[in-house]
Structure formats: structure tokens, C-alpha cells
């Protein structure tokens, strides 16, 4: 029901989209969630409906998160930034603060000499004006003693930001290979921002 000229009337209500994790639903029901050009992973919309982030293909076969903005709900979306640190598993999990100025992005990156062993980390970005700057790169907390030395750590499979973007909650999972004696431990870690510095707050 929408094009460059605006949107038509709606004849049916739209319930909150829990399945697709829409971060905010407009009173009008206009919530962009899917695109036809391949940019269709984890869309997030700010509370005022003027900032949209969406994951998709980036340069050099890597992945990226695109930030789109508009001046009002009647205007078309315009790309403001493309965030891509040159990683292959970047942006599959994304959180956007309600004010639209803080963005948390999970990435899976090689650790050590084995390119097949991936560790999940979280990039944090802050917007000033129309410029996005990386503020922090969060690595997983140390595994608990109950997890063996071969314990794998996953950070950020679930992410949530406070409305003002100053607090991040991230899931953590520690696990060993499946089989007899395998281990799986779940946790939640929170990080707080003071000025431009992020530090672990609770675990």
C-alpha cells in the first residue's frame, strides 16, 4: 500500500510482529520488514520511525548492515551509512536503540590460526549527526570453571539495547562438543556506557 508518493488507507489492524522481531509498530501499521533486493535480515526501526537498519550483502563478498533514514514518515528512505568491517558472518543479529542512535551488531570471527573456529563478538556503534562511529568491540566473558578447556563461547545470539542506548544486554552460551559429558551453560551479560566507554555491568 506504499510507494514514493506515500501510503494508502489500511483496512485491517496489524498486530505486534513478534515473529519478525519488529522493534516498533507505528500507529498507522506501517512497519517496513522485508525488501526484495536481498536486504532482508533482522530489520530494526527506531521508535520515531525515522531510522531503519537492515543486514545484507556487503563489498567483497562480506556482509554489511545498512542504515537508512528519512525526514518524516511521508518521505522515502535514504541510505545514511553502510557498516562493514569486512567479515563474512556480520549482522545476523542486530539491536537498535529506540532513539535510533546506538547500534549493536553481532559478528562471528576467526580466532587463532584456525579460520574455521569462530568466536562471536559484538560491535557497538554510535551516531552523531549523520556519522556512525564504532565505539566498542565486546568479546565474550571467560568461560566458567565448570566448562572444560575446549569450551566454545557464543556472545550476542540475542541482543537488546535500552531506549537511550546506554545499556546492552547480550546472551552468552558456553558449550562443549555434543556427546557423553558435554556441557551447555547459558548466561546473560549486561554492558553500560559512560560517555563513550563501554564496560561490563552485570553477569
Amino acid at each position: 500500500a506504499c510507494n514514493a508518493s506515500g501510503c494508502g488507507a489500511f483496512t485491517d489492524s496489524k498486530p505486534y510482529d513478534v515473529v519478525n522481531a519488529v522493534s516498533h509498530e507505528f500507529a498507522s501499521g506501517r512497519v517496513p520488514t522485508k525488501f526484495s533486493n536481498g536486504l532482508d535480515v533482522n530489520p530494526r526501526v527506531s521508535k520515531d520511525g525515522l531510522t531503519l537498519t537492515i543486514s545484507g550483502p556487503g563489498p567483497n563478498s562480506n556482509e554489511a548492515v545498512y542504515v537508512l533514514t528519512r525526514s518524516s514518515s511521508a518521505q522515502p528512505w535514504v541510505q545514511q551509512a553502510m557498516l562493514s568491517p569486512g567479515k563474512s558472518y556480520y549482522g545476523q543479529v542486530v539491536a537498535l536503540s529506540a532513539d535510533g542512535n546506538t547500534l549493536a551488531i553481532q559478528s562471528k570471527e576467526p580466532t587463532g590460526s584456525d579460520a574455521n573456529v569462530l568466536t562471536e563478538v559484538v560491535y557497538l556503534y554510535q551516531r552523531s549527526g549523520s556519522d556512525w562511529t564504532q565505539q566498542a568491540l565486546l568479546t565474550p566473558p571467560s568461560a566458567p570453571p565448570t566448562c572444560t578447556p575446549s569450551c566454545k563461547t557464543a556472545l550476542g545470539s540475542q541482543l537488546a539495547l535500552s531506549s537511550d542506548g546506554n545499556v546492552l544486554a547480550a546472551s552468552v552460551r558456553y558449550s562443549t562438543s555434543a556427546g557423553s559429558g558435554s556441557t551447555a551453560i547459558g548466561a546473560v551479560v549486561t554492558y553500560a556506557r559512560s560517555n563513550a566507554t563501554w564496560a561490563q555491568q552485570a553477569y
Side-chain angles (χ1 to χ4, degrees):
C2 299
N3 58 26
S5 301
C7 295
F10 286 81
T11 58
D12 193 13
S13 62
K14 177 177 172 56
Y16 188 80
D17 194 345
V18 176
V19 174
N20 290 308
V22 175
S23 61
H24 181 71
E25 181 180 350
F26 306 119
S28 67
R30 287 178 285 176
V31 184
T33 57
K34 297 292 180 183
F35 290 77
S36 61
N37 61 354
L39 305 179
D40 61 358
V41 181
N42 292 321
R44 294 290 183 266
V45 185
S46 60
K47 190 172 183 179
D48 62 9
L50 302 182
T51 302
L52 168 68
T53 65
I54 193 163
S55 304
N60 302 321
S61 300
N62 292 310
E63 296 176 2
V65 172
Y66 296 84
V67 181
L68 309 175
T69 59
R70 58 184 179 178
S71 56
S72 74
S73 61
Q75 298 300 314
W77 293 99
V78 176
Q79 182 177 319
Q80 185 178 68
M82 180 190 71
L83 306 174
S84 179
K87 308 297 180 181
S88 296
Y89 300 96
Y90 175 83
Q92 295 180 1
V93 182
V94 176
L96 179 69
S97 61
D99 64 11
N101 291 321
T102 305
L103 182 59
I105 304 173
Q106 185 212 53
S107 180
K108 299 178 182 179
E109 304 184 358
T111 56
S113 58
D114 189 347
N116 295 318
V117 178
L118 302 177
T119 297
E120 296 178 1
V121 298
V122 175
Y123 288 83
L124 283 158
Y125 298 88
Q126 172 72 17
R127 178 170 60 183
S128 177
S130 60
D131 296 326
W132 287 87
T133 303
Q134 181 183 328
Q135 269 193 336
L137 175 60
L138 305 178
T139 57
S142 300
T146 51
C147 205
T148 64
S150 60
C151 195
K152 296 180 180 178
T153 307
L155 174 67
S157 296
Q158 299 289 336
L159 297 171
L161 279 165
S162 61
S163 295
D164 60 6
N166 286 328
V167 177
L168 170 71
S171 64
V172 188
R173 187 174 187 272
Y174 307 99
S175 62
T176 57
S177 299
S180 178
S182 62
T183 301
I185 303 169
V188 173
V189 60
T190 62
Y191 301 89
R193 176 171 57 190
S194 177
N195 296 319
T197 302
W198 288 86
Q200 184 175 317
Q201 181 187 59
Y203 175 83

